[in-house]
């Protein structure tokens, strides 16, 4: 380091122009594009400030007032504040805010209530479920006996199958939650089944916790024993996660909260990320304010408006609509495996979303036949129902541009075919035109103007 003065008092703009410039480009990318990935959001400056705070320097293994290292009075204060805010916001008696992210949070739940080899049930990944709910390549299927459940051909959860499988396999743990499901989760029906077979019932609300906090989605609190959530999706905080135990959970197992604490630390993790904890506290503070309710409801209003506008143009949606922040576009009317074409063509038009499987996908998870999109980030940016028509129109025009491309049946031809596709769309005039319109549109909804890099 050249001098301590530089080290502590100068900003990254002068000390590291290389990284600074990459961050600047990322701000530009976010500012000039429409972010429709439903698991992403745009956090407040306050969340960013807490995340970039000196708490990143601290080690605080343990829990508030029970730490292994000294100097933890402020780390204690900020973690306790995050816990108290989460308890109040969600109405639960116990919260752990230390999981590094959603997947480690779910791992801690397994570690707390299951033994290796126990049977678990979760939403099948190609049907919209998460990796950590028992997908074959994930730890959750390697260490436990995974019994996946499915959605029906209409896209809705198959509750009859779920009950039948639960009675047959008597799982120790049942998950409800998904990364690609556009309808309200029937927590009450799940709880009945879990209670009937004596299973722990965990609701993974990673995607919808902000909607729950803002009362735009039913809460699982009266029904589940355990609730996990990320903090960076609709909750609009930093990357991180929380595990909650409900009154019902404590009634089933009075030691459940203690088991979760021990599973997170020292079971799976070392020192908590106190800078993330501070930012989670800020996000929970924001989510407790009345205008967050408006935000959560606006997310759903926008999602419904976008779904309606897309269907009006003749696009096909899984379940023909949405109850939440998310939409699944079924591209099978144009052929199979079309998701990658639309995702990449939209990327060139500054619209970001992700390819995704649809129920009974005729293609594979790597080349799925749909795309997933959602409204949390654009709603944070101030877009309303009216603007959803512009987005639907852009998507429709790009769908038209990729319609004629067909994923080869012969796997060995896919690479060359995609290379040719990429070369052609780069020069597509309509895609370039949509991009220009998107950049212009985004100027009306600026973000992070005060950030200097
Ligand atoms: C996003 C998500 C997770 C995992 O979160 P990461 O932070 O990416 O590990 C877990 N469960 C569900 C349902 C999710 O949508």
């Amino acid at each position: 380091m050249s001098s301590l003065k530089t080290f502590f008092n100068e900003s990254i703009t002068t000390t590291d122009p290389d990284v600074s410039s990459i961050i600047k480009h990322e701000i530009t990318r976010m500012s000039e594009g429409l972010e429709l990935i439903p698991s992403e959001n745009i956090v407040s400056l306050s969340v960013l400030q807490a995340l970039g705070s000196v708490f990143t320097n601290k080690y605080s293994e343990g829990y508030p007032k029970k730490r292994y290292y000294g100097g933890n009075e402020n780390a204690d204060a900020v973690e306790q504040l995050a816990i108290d805010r989460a308890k109040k916001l969600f109405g639960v008696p116990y919260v752990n805010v230390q999981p590094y992210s959603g997947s480690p949070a779910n791992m801690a739940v397994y570690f707390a209530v299951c033994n290796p080899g126990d049977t678990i049930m979760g939403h099948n990944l190609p049907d919209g479920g998460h990796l950590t709910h028992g997908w074959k390549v994930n730890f959750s299927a390697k260490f436990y006996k995974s019994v996946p459940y499915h959605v029906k051909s209409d896209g809705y959860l198959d509750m009859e199958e779920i009950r039948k499988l639960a009675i047959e396999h008597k799982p120790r743990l049942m998950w409800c939650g998904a990364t690609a499901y556009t309808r309200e989760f029937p927590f009450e029906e799940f709880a009945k089944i879990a209670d009937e077979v004596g299973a722990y019932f965990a609701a993974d609300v990673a995607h919808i916790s902000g909607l729950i906090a803002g009362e735009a989605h039913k809460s699982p609190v009266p029904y589940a024993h355990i609730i996990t959530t990320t903090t960076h999706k609709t909750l609009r905080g930093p990357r991180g996660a929380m595990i909650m135990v409900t009154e019902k959970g404590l009634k089933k197992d009075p030691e459940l909260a203690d088991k979760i604490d021990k599973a997170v630390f020292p079971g799976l993790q070392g020192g908590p990320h106190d800078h993330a904890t501070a930012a989670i506290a800020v996000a929970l503070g924001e989510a407790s304010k009345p205008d967050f309710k408006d935000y959560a409801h606006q997310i759903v209003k926008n999602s419904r408006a976008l779904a309606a506008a897309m269907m009006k143009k003749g696009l096909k949606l899984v379940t023909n609509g949405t109850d939440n922040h998310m939409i699944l576009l079924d591209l099978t009317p144009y052929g199979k495996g079309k998701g990658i074409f639309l995702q990449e063509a939209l990327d060139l038009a500054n619209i970001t979303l992700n390819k995704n499987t649809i129920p009974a996908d005729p293609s594979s998870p790597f080349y799925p036949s749909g795309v997933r999109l959602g409204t949390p980030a654009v709603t944070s940016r101030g877009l309303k129902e009216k603007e959803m028509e512009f987005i639907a129109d852009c998507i429709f025009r790009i769908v038209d541009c990729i319609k004629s491309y067909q994923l080869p049946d012969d796997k060995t031809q896919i690479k060359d075919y995609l290379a040719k596709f990429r070369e052609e769309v780069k020069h597509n005039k309509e895609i370039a035109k949509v991009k220009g319109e998107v950049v212009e549109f985004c100027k009306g909804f600026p973000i992070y103007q005060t950030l200097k890099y």
Side-chain angles (χ1 to χ4, degrees), residues 160-179:
E160 248 172 65
E161 184 209 33
I162 293 168
R163 181 153 185 276
K164 201 173 121 258
L165 290 173
I167 290 168
E168 185 185 337
H169 294 279
K170 298 258 173 313
R172 174 101 177 138
L173 172 65
M174 279 181 73
W175 289 98
C176 168
T179 80

Side-chain angles (χ1 to χ4, degrees), residues 39 100-104 106 128-133 177-180 204-207 228 230 232-233 239-241 372:
S39 49
Y100 297 145
S101 209
S103 303
N106 288 352
H130 193 257
L131 284 164
T132 55
H133 297 180
T179 80
D204 176 352
V205 296
H207 261 269
T228 63
T230 60
H232 48 272
K233 297 182 184 175
R239 312 200 78 78
R372 186 185 70 148

